Amino acid sequence: EEKYRNVFKTARDCLYITTLDGKIIEVNDAGVQFFGYDSMEELIRVPVAELYENAGAREELMDKIARDGWASDYPVNFKKKQGDILQSLVTAVPIKNDAGMTVGFQGCLRDITHLKQIEAEKKALEAELKRAQKMEVIAMLAGGVAHDFNNLLFAIMGNVELAKLK
């Protein structure tokens, strides 16, 4: 038991156990940090539903677990104590009693907020690169048109000079 408790406590992802009605039974130190609370005691006083950014997200997650028997890398946004939004992936399974009834959930939350920010920055840079490439093509086209126009002007000027000579 001590070995498994140590694994639970030292994991770098948020590990948790909750009741069916949304009371936190246990959460590791990473979970306390994940949500920005000062202690596990402070965090377990908060109803689970208040930790979700969207009120309906918990019900959607519970429906998925009921339907499939688990959830793996299910995207959910949570709120930190200070109100910041955490983008995360949830992996969870139901906890069942001896009668086979679901009495709670246990699982893992992985913070992907930083990865989502990097992804958004990458998309913005890709869009900027596409705009720059379009501008380069327009510049090349304008240069070609100017060159062709210059050639026409040169021919016209040559003919004008010949006409003056006659």
Side-chain angles (χ1 to χ4, degrees):
E1 184 178 331
E2 183 179 328
K3 178 171 66 172
Y4 293 113
R5 168 121 344 250
N6 190 39
V7 168
F8 182 87
K9 201 151 182 51
T10 60
R12 296 314 325 142
D13 288 331
C14 171
L15 301 179
Y16 66 90
I17 300 171
T18 66
T19 63
L20 186 61
D21 61 350
K23 182 180 182 318
I24 300 170
I25 302 294
E26 184 116 21
V27 64
N28 66 350
D29 294 340
V32 174
Q33 291 175 349
F34 181 86
F35 288 107
Y37 286 84
D38 297 324
S39 67
M40 183 178 74
E41 293 75 21
E42 181 184 15
L43 178 57
I44 63 175
R45 287 192 295 263
V46 177
V48 171
E50 291 181 19
L51 298 173
Y52 284 80
E53 177 189 32
N54 177 349
R58 182 168 191 266
E59 286 74 29
E60 291 172 15
L61 177 60
M62 288 173 35
D63 289 345
K64 176 164 180 38
I65 294 170
R67 184 177 59 252
D68 300 340
W70 74 89
S72 181
D73 292 337
Y74 187 82
V76 176
N77 289 348
F78 291 98
K79 291 185 294 190
K80 290 183 89 160
K81 178 182 177 181
Q82 301 80 3
D84 298 340
I85 301 302
L86 291 166
Q87 296 175 320
S88 68
L89 296 176
V90 178
T91 298
V93 295
I95 300 171
K96 299 188 182 253
N97 63 13
D98 293 338
M101 301 294 295
T102 299
V103 294
F105 301 98
Q106 62 187 6
C108 171
L109 306 177
R110 175 163 288 159
D111 184 2
I112 60 168
T113 305
H114 183 67
L115 294 175
K116 290 290 189 175
Q117 290 169 344
I118 290 171
E119 190 177 293
E121 289 171 9
K122 180 182 173 191
K123 283 182 182 179
L125 287 172
E126 286 172 351
E128 189 175 325
L129 176 62
K130 284 182 182 178
R131 280 193 303 276
Q133 288 172 336
K134 286 178 186 177
M135 293 301 290
E136 183 180 4
V137 168
I138 290 170
M140 288 174 59
L141 180 62
V145 168
H147 180 74
D148 290 346
F149 186 68
N150 190 35
N151 288 342
L152 286 173
L153 280 178
F154 186 72
I156 292 170
M157 293 298 287
N159 285 328
V160 168
E161 288 297 320
L162 284 173
K164 281 184 185 178
L165 291 175
K166 290 185 178 179

